[in-house]
Amino acid sequence: MAKGLFITLEGSEGAGKSTQIEVICSYLKNKGRKVICVREPGGTPIAEDIRALLKTPRNDDSMCDTTELLLMYAARAQLVNCFIKPKLSEGFDIICDRHDLSTIAYQGGGRGMNMDHINAVRNIVLGDFRPDLTFLLDIDPEEGMKRARRRGDLDRFEQSKMDFFIRVRNTYIRCAQEDPEHIVLIDGAQPLDVVSANVISCLDKFNV
Ligand code: Z5A
């Protein structure tokens, strides 16, 4: 049986990842493909528990950067090994809302953690496992936060200062420039129908 495709969506908050996942999912299903959508951190019961730990602001303890990094990779190990890899082998396409590039952008760029340390953990968890294609939806963080705020309460990450989100964005853009073959940069500030058309045109070119 042919292996499924692993497609990831990346970008700052409010960039439109969840919205475009629906577009990609419909596109692939219309081609007769079997599709599953998941999110990171999360996607399995254990990984969803870790997600709650990571996202919930608390005032009795503040999470240190190393804990945050290891929890991200603990959740990823669970999702990739126990769900994504088996499903890809069964021929399902997996569309993932955030994946490893988020760690490079948020923990590497945003928090300024040592990239050699991140890469060491990444190697343990992922080895050479990588997405077939990544969409990076780029948006000015101020604009993205406006969209996120409309949803209500802000989570632990969303409470970060704007310079954190600027570093995240810059890291994302640099990664896309360094690997244009696998990371497609799309302007997420454009109207919804334009963003969706760009995503579909890229999938057409990818010839799925
Ligand atoms: N994180 C990390 O630090 N390290 C890691 O390794 C991983 C994650 C994996 C997960 O939060 C947090 O974990 C995230 C990074 C960190 N934190 N932050 N901050 P999450 O999964 O809950 O949140 P998110 O990924 O940032 O999702 P989001 O805020 O929901 O953004 P989105 O999915 O990209 O946007 P959306 O829900 O599709 O759209 C937001 C709103 O904008 C919605 O009302 C849409 O209708 C609207 N929208 C979407 N597109 C458009 C356009 N084009 N025009 C106008 N309006 C639009």
Side-chain angles (χ1 to χ4, degrees):
M1 181 184 294
K3 237 175 124 261
L5 285 171
F6 182 38
I7 299 177
T8 61
L9 280 101
E10 294 282 357
S12 310
E13 20 297 309
K17 298 177 296 298
S18 315
T19 311
Q20 292 307 319
I21 278 186
E22 301 297 325
V23 172
I24 297 171
C25 188
S26 305
Y27 176 96
L28 293 172
K29 281 186 174 163
N30 285 338
K31 298 247 168 198
R33 301 182 69 99
K34 304 182 291 180
V35 187
I36 300 175
C37 300
V38 288
R39 66 177 180 182
E40 283 204 29
T44 80
I46 288 176
E48 286 291 327
D49 283 353
I50 299 173
R51 176 185 177 90
L53 264 178
L54 277 161
K55 291 211 18 153
T56 309
R58 49 194 298 168
N59 45 26
D60 58 345
D61 199 3
S62 67
M63 189 177 290
C64 78
D65 292 352
T66 305
T67 304
E68 184 177 278
L69 176 75
L70 294 176
L71 285 176
M72 286 296 174
Y73 274 114
R76 185 161 303 138
Q78 190 67 22
L79 178 66
V80 168
N81 294 319
C82 302
F83 190 80
I84 293 182
K85 283 184 176 175
K87 288 296 174 193
L88 289 173
S89 301
E90 288 170 32
F92 285 91
D93 293 334
I94 302 285
I95 320 297
C96 195
D97 190 341
R98 297 193 179 279
H99 181 60
D100 200 50
L101 193 56
S102 284
T103 310
I104 313 292
Y106 282 79
Q107 281 64 51
R111 304 275 188 238
M113 293 188 77
N114 183 314
M115 274 311 300
D116 290 338
H117 295 174
I118 294 181
N119 282 330
V121 187
R122 179 196 210 197
N123 276 338
I124 294 169
V125 171
L126 295 177
D128 57 5
F129 180 75
R130 297 285 180 275
D132 296 296
L133 182 63
T134 296
F135 289 98
L136 169 56
L137 300 176
D138 175 56
I139 191 167
D140 180 325
E142 296 268 12
E143 202 47 50
M145 281 308 290
K146 272 191 215 153
R147 290 184 188 171
R149 271 194 209 102
R150 280 187 217 123
R151 264 195 323 242
D153 287 348
L154 298 182
D155 67 29
R156 195 175 64 81
F157 290 94
E158 290 162 346
Q159 291 178 0
S160 306
K161 295 211 167 65
M162 197 40 69
D163 58 346
F164 170 80
F165 293 110
I166 292 168
R167 288 195 298 277
V168 169
R169 183 193 196 189
N170 291 341
T171 309
Y172 266 138
I173 291 174
R174 185 173 43 73
C175 290
Q177 287 165 345
E178 284 170 6
D179 188 7
E181 203 187 319
H182 297 103
I183 306 174
V184 180
L185 180 67
I186 289 180
D187 180 0
Q190 299 174 103
L192 197 47
D193 54 338
V194 178
V195 179
S196 305
N198 285 343
V199 167
I200 287 170
S201 136
C202 173
L203 288 168
D204 281 339
K205 279 190 210 130
F206 201 65
N207 209 10
V208 290

